[in-house]
Amino acid sequence: MIVNTLNSEMPIKAIELSTKDFERVVASCRKECEAAATVAGFLEGAGHDILIGCIAKSLDNWSSDDFHQWTESLTEKYGLVSATGISILELVDLVSFLMNEPRYRVIERLQRAAIMKTDG
């Protein structure tokens, strides 16, 4: 599937869902990630873009080179460090933590939604 980020698109090969179903699954976590980005001194969209990247990294089993290229693109887009002194990599770590929180479990919910789609 192709997921829209703030300024581009990101493929997620390991899962096939409609954009509507994908957005429904990640909606509450997306809001928290966007708020975390804002509090950290980055643009709100950084939280959304990082969430999408963390999902793709997890589902598509990115190599270290893939991850490095992605984090470099984040740095180009949002800067290495915010005005509050938080690095973009610290925000990546926070978003990764949030999406795995029991209240969100984004990866498991996406996988369940994809299975339901193929069964249904």
Side-chain angles (χ1 to χ4, degrees):
M1 75 175 292
I2 302 293
V3 179
N4 292 320
T5 62
L6 190 61
N7 297 315
S8 62
E9 296 177 331
M10 179 171 290
I12 300 177
K13 300 171 192 149
I15 200 162
E16 192 58 48
L17 284 174
S18 70
T19 300
K20 180 182 172 183
D21 288 339
F22 180 87
E23 289 296 329
R24 181 183 47 77
V25 169
V26 302
S28 60
C29 188
R30 175 184 175 173
K31 289 176 185 172
E32 189 158 343
C33 292
E34 289 172 342
T38 301
V39 169
F42 290 98
L43 295 174
E44 182 180 84
H48 176 254
D49 287 359
I50 292 171
L51 175 61
I52 301 304
C54 287
I55 290 168
K57 176 185 178 287
S58 180
L59 289 174
D60 289 344
N61 298 313
W62 284 357
S63 69
S64 58
D65 287 341
D66 293 335
F67 180 74
H68 181 71
Q69 288 176 349
W70 174 66
T71 57
E72 283 193 358
S73 72
L74 289 173
T75 300
E76 289 173 14
K77 200 181 293 187
Y78 299 109
L80 182 59
V81 178
S82 71
T84 61
I86 305 295
S87 77
I88 196 74
L89 291 176
E90 289 173 311
L91 185 58
V92 169
D93 286 344
L94 176 58
V95 168
S96 181
F97 173 80
L98 289 172
M99 70 179 239
N100 289 302
E101 280 276 288
R103 62 185 161 184
Y104 298 125
R105 293 187 188 139
V106 171
I107 300 302
E108 291 89 350
R109 292 179 67 205
L110 286 169
Q111 290 169 332
R112 272 196 312 257
I115 289 168
M116 290 174 53
K117 180 183 177 206
T118 58
D119 289 346

